[in-house]
Amino acid sequence: MILTIATTPFEDQKPGTSGLRKKVSVFRQPHYAENFIQSVFDSLEGFQGRTLVIGGDGRYHNSEVIQTAIRMAAANGFGRVMVGQNGLLSTPAASNLIRRHKASGGIILSASHNPGGPDGDFGIKYNISNGGPAPEKLTDAIYARTRTISSYRIAAPPGVDLARTGETRLGGMAVQVVDPVTDYAELMRTLFDFEAIRALIRTGFTMRFDAMGAVTGPYAHRILEDMLGFPGGTVMNGTPLPDFGGRHPDPNLVHAGELARLVLPGGGPDFGAASDGDGDRNLIVGRGMYVTPSDSLAILAANATLTPGYAGGLAGIARSMPTSRAADRVAEKLGIGAWETPTGWKFFGNLLDAGKATLCGEESFGTGSTHVREKDGLWAVLMWLNILARRRLSVADIVTRHWAEYGRNFYSRHDYEDVDAEAANGLMNALRARLPSLAGRNGIATADDFAYDDPVDGSRTTKQGIRLIFADGARIIYRLSGTGTAGATLRVYIERYEPDAGLHGMETQAALSGLIALSRSIAGIGTHTGRAAPTVIT
Ligand code: G1P
Ligand code: ZN
């Protein structure tokens, strides 16, 4: 039986950098998730009778909203939903399922790397038929719909049993519960040389993968341990938990500190990696070497032809604007396109679809390629393993040799978290107003507010971050986070190019100290926010 439930709009359902993300307590309000999901469906065309993929990162509140989404899909006329067993799908695995099974789209329940649990965050995101996040045009339409919605349709309870794989029905709709790992693992096997990695393991090569109590546990156990043959225990924190075991599932040196302390000093595993809540981010470390995500993108691109999936070469490399320019140097040397997009994965979709870029990445621990339309944590780990297996060098040697060949882009991001929203906006507005007068002083060659003209669909996106570009190519970039759920987060990105290999061993914060001081004084960070130092440095 299909129920039509009367409702009234919520004012705060504007999708951010990556879907609608709010505190669990907000999502638990009656009709809150339903309003948003109905607004998504109301903004789509031609899905009647077609397939919808549904899955989530297993965080607190996932099992409730999964059932809601399935019941609403049935009531709105989808022909089939494909759901991960127990409601689990990593974000890249969901993207793959959408593409592989020609679904009309997918609903992903995740707040990515944000903490989970009753006091944590939750999120809903819609991905389109290419497997990628909905473009702005669609998220704008969804938001507009949330402002006028007056009812939603939902199949009467009960929902469906997601514990067993197989097919059942809900009203006129087929419900297919699938193993979340199988199709994804198959895709990875087509891209990378598993035999070469097995041979590397036989030489005594060891690694640890930290799943951080989140969704990649089952993927990593299957691929790294069962398929590649790394010994049991290689995967740490490999059971997905609703509160991630109390962890903050953000794979950086702070939150994945346990892994970093195991690998970085030496004497432990040769290689360490971690992924986030929904499996799209990655952290890469080796003995004595943390690989920044910006460098990782450049290194993967420079070595891509060593892997079967990219043996034919790359069409181009795309990076988000605040990501360091290390990848541009590789693109230049390879004679391929280098693309600069606004922050957020949705901007890469068109470039990948149009064959303009093959690899893409962000400084925020995201790397990916044409294989799906999301960033992909385990994919990056496997690509590193494939390259390590072929080059038989340590992570540190691969990185330092890369710098020696291309020069080093010293790079750091300083986050000022949980700043008063008004103060943060005030800082940005004041900077924006001063843009014309900033160039020509302090070595600044140009100062602007980044705008992006999509080369494929011609759309223009403005106000994507204030850029101070120095005469020597150094950059300071300011933008406000679009994924937070409380207050504002000011992100300051600082970069400087160093061609002299004799100076590549410098500590990053020291190498950037002059620019860091400038980043604070030019924007008046202390005056506006009351903060003398950032909360997180990556
Ligand atoms: C952050 C990252 C951005 C990433 C997004 C989703 O967004 O900076 O690169 O795409 O999370 O994972 P922000 O909070 O900066 O808007
Ligand atoms: Zn994520």
Side-chain angles (χ1 to χ4, degrees):
M1 194 183 44
I2 291 169
L3 311 172
T4 301
I5 312 275
T7 186
T8 51
F10 290 91
E11 301 296 312
D12 63 346
Q13 297 198 319
K14 188 175 170 57
T17 310
S18 192
L20 181 68
R21 208 173 279 181
K22 300 282 174 194
K23 291 274 170 221
V24 166
S25 54
V26 173
F27 268 103
R28 286 175 117 176
Q29 298 172 87
H31 311 310
Y32 193 86
E34 290 86 343
N35 272 20
F36 188 73
I37 293 169
Q38 186 66 53
S39 298
V40 170
F41 293 161
D42 288 348
S43 308
L44 305 175
E45 274 165 21
F47 63 80
Q48 300 295 324
R50 297 191 58 197
T51 300
L52 180 73
V53 168
I54 305 181
D57 61 13
R59 68 178 55 228
Y60 188 84
H61 206 46
N62 195 59
S63 35
E64 287 83 355
V65 182
I66 283 269
Q67 294 290 346
T68 303
I70 295 171
R71 287 166 51 213
M72 290 184 67
N76 278 273
F78 280 93
R80 166 180 298 265
V81 289
M82 194 174 262
V83 196
Q85 189 176 18
N86 295 316
L88 291 182
L89 280 179
S90 77
T91 292
S95 182
N96 179 47
L97 279 185
I98 295 169
R99 295 167 64 77
R100 184 166 177 147
H101 298 279
K102 306 209 167 6
S104 61
I107 287 183
I108 300 175
L109 306 177
S110 167
S112 188
H113 51 289
N114 294 13
D119 301 322
D121 292 346
F122 192 77
I124 304 182
K125 174 167 110 159
Y126 182 75
N127 280 26
I128 58 175
S129 61
N130 75 351
E136 298 240 295
K137 204 169 141 244
L138 180 52
T139 53
D140 287 348
I142 294 168
Y143 177 51
R145 184 64 188 145
T146 66
R147 308 300 297 266
T148 59
I149 189 166
S150 58
S151 68
Y152 61 83
R153 288 185 297 288
I154 187 163
V160 291
D161 177 12
L162 300 179
R164 266 185 308 276
T165 58
E167 197 162 317
T168 52
R169 293 195 80 76
L170 184 64
M173 185 182 78
V175 179
Q176 188 180 353
V177 180
V178 298
D179 177 273
V181 182
T182 307
D183 280 0
Y184 178 82
E186 200 42 52
L187 174 64
M188 292 302 115
R189 210 160 38 159
T190 64
L191 296 176
F192 301 117
D193 188 346
F194 278 27
E195 198 37 62
I197 300 173
R198 280 187 209 108
L200 176 69
I201 298 171
R202 285 195 294 272
T203 68
F205 178 91
T206 53
M207 80 169 282
R208 281 289 184 291
F209 177 85
D210 190 349
M212 305 190 84
V215 78
T216 49
Y219 295 85
H221 278 304
R222 179 95 55 91
I223 297 171
L224 298 176
E225 295 176 353
D226 301 349
M227 293 169 75
L228 287 171
F230 278 107
T234 294
V235 178
M236 305 158 54
N237 305 311
T239 305
L241 301 167
D243 67 346
F244 308 121
R247 279 177 210 91
H248 185 160
D250 193 354
N252 58 38
L253 292 179
V254 179
H255 299 304
E258 188 188 357
L259 175 85
R261 283 187 294 275
L262 211 58
V263 180
L264 281 174
D270 298 292
F271 180 62
S275 190
D276 71 329
D278 63 331
D280 57 0
R281 295 187 173 206
N282 72 88
L283 169 73
I284 302 291
V285 287
R287 289 189 176 140
M289 179 61 74
Y290 152 63
V291 188
T292 69
S294 296
D295 277 346
S296 182
L297 173 64
I299 290 166
L300 293 182
N303 292 278
T305 54
L306 298 176
T307 67
Y310 307 91
L314 307 176
I317 311 170
R319 62 166 174 82
S320 65
M321 182 274 285
T323 301
S324 100
R325 289 161 153 176
D328 300 13
R329 299 188 178 273
V330 176
E332 194 183 351
K333 186 153 189 178
L334 295 175
I336 58 176
W339 303 93
E340 185 174 47
T341 60
T343 296
W345 213 258
K346 60 188 166 204
F347 295 99
F348 291 136
N350 278 349
L351 296 172
L352 298 174
D353 284 351
K356 292 184 181 297
T358 308
L359 295 194
C360 44
E362 293 194 279
E363 50 69 37
S364 53
F365 300 87
T367 333
S369 88
T370 41
H371 72 291
V372 288
R373 291 295 179 275
E374 290 278 3
K375 56 194 174 220
D376 189 343
L378 262 170
W379 168 90
V381 175
L382 291 168
M383 189 147 178
W384 263 97
L385 283 172
N386 194 151
I387 291 166
L388 288 165
R390 288 292 307 277
R391 293 194 61 185
R392 298 291 172 101
L393 292 169
S394 69
V395 172
D397 284 344
I398 288 181
V399 175
T400 48
R401 288 185 194 198
H402 184 91
W403 291 337
E405 184 173 349
Y406 293 92
R408 177 171 182 187
N409 288 68
F410 281 103
Y411 183 84
S412 185
R413 185 176 101 184
H414 288 202
D415 288 337
Y416 298 78
E417 294 179 325
D418 217 351
V419 171
D420 176 68
E422 225 166 282
N425 282 311
L427 180 149
M428 292 297 286
N429 290 336
L431 258 181
R432 222 170 254 130
R434 284 169 51 222
L435 281 176
S437 65
L438 286 173
R441 279 195 258 164
N442 297 306
I444 300 172
T446 56
D448 66 3
D449 197 348
F450 181 60
Y452 178 63
D453 292 300
D454 187 300
V456 180
D457 66 19
S459 62
R460 184 174 179 82
T461 310
T462 57
K463 290 193 167 180
Q464 292 300 305
I466 290 176
R467 306 191 289 184
L468 310 182
I469 303 176
F470 294 74
D472 63 357
R475 300 190 303 166
I476 299 175
I477 292 146
Y478 304 86
R479 60 179 284 282
L480 298 183
S481 160
T483 57
T485 57
T489 293
L490 170 68
R491 304 202 194 285
V492 186
Y493 311 79
I494 302 139
E495 174 183 13
R496 176 172 81 76
Y497 179 65
E498 178 55 72
D500 181 356
L503 299 172
H504 288 169
M506 276 179 88
E507 195 275 322
T508 299
Q509 301 304 313
L512 295 173
S513 59
L515 286 167
I516 291 171
L518 263 182
S519 78
R520 294 180 190 167
S521 61
I522 291 179
I525 293 179
T527 325
H528 281 279
T529 68
R531 301 285 176 83
T535 357
V536 180
I537 296 179
T538 47

